[in-house]
Amino acid sequence: MNIAIVGIGLIGGSIGIRLKETNFCQQIIGVEKNESNQKKALQLGLVDRILPLDEALATCKIIVLTIPVDAILTLLPALLDKVTDQVVIDMGSTKTNILNLIADHPNRGRYVAAHPMAGTEYSGPEAAIPDLFKDKMMVYVEAFKTDEDAFELADALTDQLEMKTSFMNADEHDMHTAYVSHISHLTSFALALTVLEKEKSQGRIFELAGSGFQSTVRLAKSSPEMWTPIFKQNRSNVLEVLEEHIKQLQNLYNKLDGEDYEGLHKLIKRSNKIKRIIK
Amino acid sequence: MNIAIVGIGLIGGSIGIRLKETNFCQQIIGVEKNESNQKKALQLGLVDRILPLDEALATCKIIVLTIPVDAILTLLPALLDKVTDQVVIDMGSTKTNILNLIADHPNRGRYVAAHPMAGTEYSGPEAAIPDLFKDKMMVYVEAFKTDEDAFELADALTDQLEMKTSFMNADEHDMHTAYVSHISHLTSFALALTVLEKEKSQGRIFELAGSGFQSTVRLAKSSPEMWTPIFKQNRSNVLEVLEEHIKQLQNLYNKLDGEDYEGLHKLIKRSNKIKRIIK
């Protein structure tokens, strides 16, 4: 069995590395528009060969989509038109729009909506790392609409990545990811912009940056090509959480501005409850 | 030479561990109000003995203050009254108010305003770790107002902690720390509050939380007893950066709300410049 990876960046490349380790398939075919990324992917051994999508489809049983979510929306319907017994796994970060788009497609059963909750702030083939997925969560969305054999094959691939699994509907998935992933990126982008702006007038401001700052700002290194489409596709959920987050910041601001230190202490103490959630 | 550490938590305890390793001093005396923390500090071997402050002062050459910044403000003037040839090192996170407070104290020369840019989100004696300070920055504030012998002794201690050093005036220090440390904590507190609030109505929201979320929210585990006083003492700088941060978030919100994806992409790309700063 051959597997095609469409888009060889952080996610696609890391899948390639892992599948080469496990001998899950015979060949890994890379489908990649960018010529420089094609070369890097081959040099780094992330894939065995580069082929155009149509040729990859003819020789592969599984097609994994690891391109930005807007590119998936453009590509998927035409791809499903050509699918016979192959399985198409979409690894994008948003699901509602894409699932609506192909809901009535005759080959809907060959499609698997999956979202690996794994990543780093880096992108491109050179960002690919082994064990990116190990012990992380693979979320399947509307899995019940996928043919059983197609789902089994996708799940076998998930097994190779050593991931845990979870099942959700599309609304739930997109809302939850807005709250525990997309907003984290927005806060980091905003924090970076805040501090970079101040640096212009002050200079040397980063001399004091320690591990706390690094931790909250590191996601601001994330690719705009990947993230702008995610925010676009998950717009209403992202706006909701962003509004709520601004409200919480404004509340902290008001407590400090009004010198209500008891109230400020109370809010911080309440936020400490996050200890139950993260180790 | 004996050294007293006043307040045996994350910072004080980690200094104790390190100084025991290097044999910089004979005895490390812990000064600590909280009885449970006294016991833990002795059990964990962070200090050799516990003494009341006055007795510690009588037997120690260096007094290190690692209590919350408001407690330093209360304690320091009376402590300096009693000092003869000892050196008092204040390790607090804000400096303007404390330096104003003791500016004209007859023993001003025995006081060193220092701020180790190191920490974790944990607190208390059990949070103390070796190498917390290694390769981090120790910022000296208004060091020129300290007696030369007192500064040399403080700097020798900094050497033991294997830290780099930097010099600043008080305004600069408090503004810079607001931008690269205090704001990071506020964004984390607000993010935790945002998500914890949503969990109430949604449940299971954290199932999808990955490393990105953990990274941006981990500082929300930080102690309100330590942080409320920092925000209070650095109020005007913190309000400034918080206002700017909210403005940046609102700008991202407006771009997404207005479906200006080009503008959103541009902001994210601009924030990527943080790559120059953090590895």
Side-chain angles (χ1 to χ4, degrees):
Chain A
M1 175 176 74
N2 294 339
I3 294 186
I5 298 175
V6 183
I8 315 162
L10 167 67
I11 300 294
S14 298
I15 293 173
I17 293 179
R18 175 65 190 158
L19 293 185
K20 283 205 159 189
E21 281 175 2
T22 65
N23 297 313
F24 178 63
C25 53
Q26 280 176 295
Q27 279 211 318
I28 299 175
I29 313 296
V31 178
E32 171 63 53
K33 277 187 191 172
N34 183 298
E35 274 188 42
S36 150
N37 285 351
Q38 288 178 2
K39 275 182 206 158
K40 284 182 200 160
L42 288 169
Q43 273 165 3
L44 294 165
L46 308 178
V47 299
D48 298 304
R49 281 197 293 164
I50 301 286
L51 284 181
L53 182 57
D54 280 347
E55 290 178 41
L57 188 65
T59 174
C60 291
K61 178 69 180 173
I62 301 179
I63 322 291
V64 182
L65 305 182
T66 50
I67 47 181
V69 289
D70 55 344
I72 294 179
L73 273 165
T74 310
L75 182 84
L76 188 62
L79 180 61
L80 282 182
D81 289 347
K82 295 174 197 159
V83 157
T84 54
D85 69 337
Q86 297 95 328
V87 182
V88 178
I89 310 176
D90 148 26
M91 297 257 187
S93 296
T94 64
K95 297 302 184 197
T96 305
N97 291 348
I98 189 75
L99 282 162
N100 285 339
L101 185 70
I102 53 89
D104 301 320
H105 195 286
N107 290 329
R108 166 66 185 87
R110 309 313 299 166
Y111 166 76
V112 180
H115 180 194
M117 300 306 300
T120 73
E121 63 273 37
Y122 304 106
S123 49
E126 58 275 54
I129 48 174
D131 293 337
L132 178 65
F133 306 103
K134 194 176 160 69
D135 298 328
K136 303 289 170 61
M137 186 74 82
M138 178 72 92
V139 187
Y140 294 117
V141 184
E142 285 192 3
F144 64 95
K145 290 191 181 170
T146 298
D147 295 345
E148 205 162 309
D149 71 297
F151 180 77
E152 290 305 324
L153 205 49
D155 203 40
L157 190 149
T158 299
D159 253 358
Q160 301 294 309
L161 303 178
E162 301 183 283
M163 301 184 80
K164 300 179 284 183
T165 58
S166 175
F167 295 86
M168 288 193 174
N169 67 42
D171 288 355
E172 198 181 16
H173 169 273
D174 282 9
M175 192 269 287
H176 286 204
T177 50
Y179 273 82
V180 296
S181 165
H182 305 171
I183 185 66
S184 288
H185 288 77
L186 285 165
T187 59
S188 264
F189 294 137
L191 186 58
L193 290 168
T194 302
V195 182
L196 287 164
E197 191 58 37
K198 189 68 175 180
E199 190 199 21
K200 283 185 197 164
S201 59
Q202 289 293 330
R204 79 182 285 227
I205 198 165
F206 293 106
E207 207 169 275
L208 303 194
S211 57
F213 178 72
Q214 297 219 10
S215 174
T216 48
V217 87
R218 74 171 177 85
L219 295 179
K221 294 189 270 182
S222 303
S223 153
E225 282 71 34
M226 175 178 169
W227 281 95
T228 309
I230 290 175
F231 298 137
K232 180 177 176 181
Q233 295 307 324
N234 202 16
R235 180 167 165 272
S236 66
N237 285 309
V238 170
L239 286 175
E240 178 191 300
V241 58
L242 199 43
E243 189 181 348
E244 175 63 25
H245 182 59
I246 291 171
K247 208 185 289 174
Q248 294 289 354
L249 279 167
Q250 192 63 54
N251 197 12
L252 289 165
Y253 183 98
N254 294 343
K255 292 278 182 287
L256 185 56
D257 191 38
E259 304 198 56
D260 175 5
Y261 298 113
E262 206 179 310
L264 186 59
H265 187 283
K266 221 177 257 182
L267 286 175
I268 296 174
K269 201 173 172 92
R270 192 186 299 160
S271 83
N272 283 172
K273 286 188 185 169
I274 204 75
K275 283 178 194 170
R276 311 186 261 104
I277 313 298
I278 62 168
K279 275 167 219 148
Chain B
M1 176 177 74
N2 294 340
I3 294 186
I5 298 174
V6 182
I8 315 160
L10 167 68
I11 300 294
S14 298
I15 293 173
I17 292 179
R18 176 64 189 156
L19 293 186
K20 282 206 158 190
E21 282 175 3
T22 64
N23 298 315
F24 178 62
C25 53
Q26 282 177 294
Q27 279 211 319
I28 300 175
I29 311 296
V31 178
E32 171 63 53
K33 277 187 191 173
N34 182 300
E35 273 188 42
S36 150
N37 285 351
Q38 288 178 2
K39 274 182 207 159
K40 283 182 200 160
L42 288 169
Q43 272 165 6
L44 294 166
L46 308 178
V47 299
D48 298 303
R49 281 198 293 162
I50 300 286
L51 285 180
L53 181 57
D54 279 347
E55 290 178 39
L57 188 64
T59 175
C60 292
K61 178 70 180 171
I62 301 179
I63 321 290
V64 182
L65 304 182
T66 51
I67 48 180
V69 288
D70 55 344
I72 294 178
L73 274 165
T74 310
L75 183 84
L76 188 62
L79 179 61
L80 282 183
D81 289 346
K82 296 174 197 158
V83 157
T84 54
D85 69 337
Q86 297 95 327
V87 182
V88 178
I89 310 175
D90 148 26
M91 298 257 186
S93 297
T94 64
K95 298 301 184 197
T96 305
N97 291 349
I98 189 75
L99 282 162
N100 285 339
L101 184 70
I102 53 89
D104 301 321
H105 194 285
N107 291 329
R108 166 66 186 86
R110 310 312 299 166
Y111 166 76
V112 181
H115 180 194
M117 300 306 299
T120 73
E121 64 273 38
Y122 304 106
S123 49
E126 59 273 54
I129 48 175
D131 292 337
L132 178 66
F133 305 103
K134 193 176 160 67
D135 298 329
K136 303 290 169 58
M137 186 72 84
M138 179 72 92
V139 188
Y140 294 117
V141 184
E142 286 193 2
F144 64 95
K145 291 193 181 169
T146 298
D147 294 346
E148 205 162 311
D149 71 297
F151 179 78
E152 290 305 324
L153 205 49
D155 202 40
L157 190 149
T158 298
D159 253 356
Q160 300 295 309
L161 303 179
E162 302 183 281
M163 301 184 79
K164 300 179 285 186
T165 58
S166 174
F167 294 84
M168 289 194 172
N169 67 41
D171 287 355
E172 198 181 16
H173 168 273
D174 282 9
M175 192 269 287
H176 286 204
T177 51
Y179 273 82
V180 296
S181 165
H182 304 171
I183 185 65
S184 288
H185 288 78
L186 285 165
T187 60
S188 264
F189 294 137
L191 187 57
L193 290 168
T194 302
V195 183
L196 288 165
E197 190 59 35
K198 189 66 174 180
E199 191 200 20
K200 283 187 197 164
S201 59
Q202 289 292 331
R204 78 182 287 228
I205 198 165
F206 293 106
E207 208 170 275
L208 304 194
S211 56
F213 178 72
Q214 296 219 8
S215 174
T216 49
V217 87
R218 75 171 176 84
L219 296 179
K221 294 189 269 182
S222 303
S223 153
E225 282 70 35
M226 175 179 168
W227 281 94
T228 308
I230 290 175
F231 299 137
K232 181 178 176 180
Q233 295 307 324
N234 202 16
R235 181 166 164 272
S236 66
N237 285 311
V238 170
L239 286 176
E240 178 190 303
V241 58
L242 198 44
E243 189 181 349
E244 176 63 25
H245 182 59
I246 291 171
K247 209 185 288 174
Q248 294 289 353
L249 279 168
Q250 191 65 51
N251 198 11
L252 289 165
Y253 184 98
N254 294 343
K255 292 278 182 286
L256 184 56
D257 191 39
E259 303 197 56
D260 175 5
Y261 298 113
E262 206 180 307
L264 186 59
H265 186 282
K266 219 175 258 181
L267 287 175
I268 296 174
K269 202 174 172 91
R270 191 186 301 159
S271 83
N272 284 171
K273 285 188 185 167
I274 204 75
K275 283 178 195 170
R276 314 187 257 104
I277 313 297
I278 62 168
K279 276 168 214 147

